């Protein structure tokens, strides 16, 4: 029951960024899909370009999933930074860190509630709208080529990158190290992961493997730092 109360508290305090991310990403995604539906989505043969041999035509089906994916990546990065700062940086800025530790719950329960709320936030505000968009857009047009299933997993990869940045931001806020030493190691790892994922040679499988490795490393470091951080301000 204590953990449930703590979880509700963390959810309540995280509602604003979660709701904003849901409204912005979900709303813009819906508008983009409606635009695709009403304007035809380039379903049929259209004039492509002039060539020396004459006119060239082809059947082209332009799904807006690429543009939605860019928006998803941006929203995931912003949500990761925001929740990371809110969950782990704000107690130090407001000088409530000592009060947080003196609650009648273990540190593991406190950290677990924050991490669980982070997962819930990413799943509800980004995961569900992205899954709906991918599933729905396959049904709005009867002609043309279906989108590549890889695109669906790329979207979840973008969400995972935001989660890695969330953990990296939390680690940066929790550590006692100086800014000019190893304090930024968490965000740096997350940024390097993002850069590695977007290299041309990186396959989707390798990208997920890199994601799991970096998330596991950041999670281990965050747990160790949180459990061993002193109660002093």
């Amino acid at each position: 029951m204590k953990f449930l109360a703590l979880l509700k508290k963390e959810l309540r305090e995280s509602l604003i960024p979660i709701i904003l991310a849901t409204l912005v990403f979900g709303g813009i995604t819906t508008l983009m899909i409606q635009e695709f539906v009403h304007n035809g989505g380039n379903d049929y043969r259209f004039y492509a370009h002039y060539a020396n041999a004459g006119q060239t035509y082809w059947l082209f089906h332009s799904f807006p999933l690429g543009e939605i994916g860019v928006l998803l990546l941006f929203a995931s990065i912003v949500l990761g930074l925001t929740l990371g700062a809110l969950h782990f940086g704000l107690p130090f800025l407001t000088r409530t860190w000592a009060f947080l530790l003196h609650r009648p719950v273990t540190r593991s329960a406190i950290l677990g509630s924050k991490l669980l709320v982070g997962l819930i936030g990413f799943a509800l505000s980004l995961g569900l709208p992205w899954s709906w968009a991918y599933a729905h857009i396959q049904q709005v047009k009867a002609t043309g080529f279906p989108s590549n299933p890889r695109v669906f997993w790329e979207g979840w990869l973008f969400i995972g990158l935001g989660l890695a940045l969330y953990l990296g931001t939390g680690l940066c806020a929790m550590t006692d190290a100086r800014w000019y030493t190893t304090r930024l190691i968490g965000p740096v790892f997350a940024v390097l992961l993002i850069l590695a994922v977007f290299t041309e040679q990186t396959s989707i499988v390798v990208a997920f493997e890199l994601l799991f490795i970096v998330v596991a490393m950041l999670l281990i470091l965050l747990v160790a730092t949180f459990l061993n951080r002193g109660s002093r301000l």
Side-chain angles (χ1 to χ4, degrees):
M1 293 300 294
K2 292 181 180 179
F3 179 80
L4 184 59
L6 190 61
L7 182 64
K8 291 180 179 179
K9 168 196 170 292
E10 294 291 342
L11 275 173
R12 184 172 62 252
E13 294 178 351
S14 304
L15 273 182
I16 292 180
I18 292 176
I19 290 176
L20 285 177
T22 304
L23 292 177
V24 172
F25 177 68
I28 296 179
T29 296
T30 301
L31 291 176
M32 293 174 70
I33 293 178
Q34 291 301 317
E35 178 74 11
F36 169 75
V37 173
H38 292 141
N39 291 342
N42 296 328
D43 278 57
Y44 304 101
R45 293 181 180 271
F46 70 100
Y47 178 66
H49 61 82
Y50 283 101
N52 294 331
Q55 296 179 346
T56 301
Y57 293 86
W58 57 51
L59 186 65
F60 184 76
H61 197 97
S62 178
F63 285 109
L65 287 176
E67 293 80 2
I68 295 175
V70 174
L71 177 64
L72 175 63
L73 177 62
F74 177 77
S76 184
I77 290 175
V78 173
L79 184 62
L81 290 172
T82 303
L83 288 182
L86 178 65
H87 288 173
F88 302 100
L90 189 61
F92 294 102
L93 293 177
T94 57
R95 297 184 178 275
T96 58
W97 169 250
F99 172 76
L100 179 67
L101 294 184
H102 283 85
R103 294 186 176 189
V105 290
T106 63
R107 289 196 181 197
S108 299
I110 296 173
L111 178 59
S113 65
K114 293 179 179 294
L115 295 177
L116 184 56
V117 168
L119 288 174
I120 293 173
F122 276 96
L124 291 181
S125 62
L126 301 180
L128 287 181
W130 167 251
S131 299
W132 169 82
Y134 183 86
H136 179 67
I137 210 167
Q138 311 294 322
Q139 305 171 10
V140 296
K141 291 294 174 183
T143 61
F145 300 103
S147 60
N148 192 335
R150 172 191 167 101
V151 175
F152 174 76
W153 296 111
E154 287 178 344
W156 277 101
L157 177 64
F158 292 167
I159 297 174
L161 295 178
L163 181 62
L165 195 56
Y166 164 74
L167 296 174
T169 303
L171 179 61
C172 178
M174 290 301 306
T175 183
D176 280 326
R178 300 290 184 180
W179 289 101
Y180 53 83
T181 56
T182 59
R183 182 156 196 162
L184 295 177
I185 190 173
V188 168
F189 263 119
V191 172
L192 290 177
L193 171 64
I194 294 175
L195 295 177
V197 164
F198 282 97
T199 59
E200 295 182 0
Q201 294 80 15
T202 304
S203 68
I204 190 68
V205 175
V206 173
F208 269 105
E209 290 175 349
L210 290 173
L211 174 64
F212 290 146
I213 292 173
V214 172
V215 166
M217 291 174 56
L218 293 175
L219 183 60
I220 292 173
L221 291 173
L222 178 59
V223 170
T225 304
F226 190 94
L227 295 182
N228 296 313
R229 180 69 186 261
S231 60
R232 62 182 177 84
L233 295 176

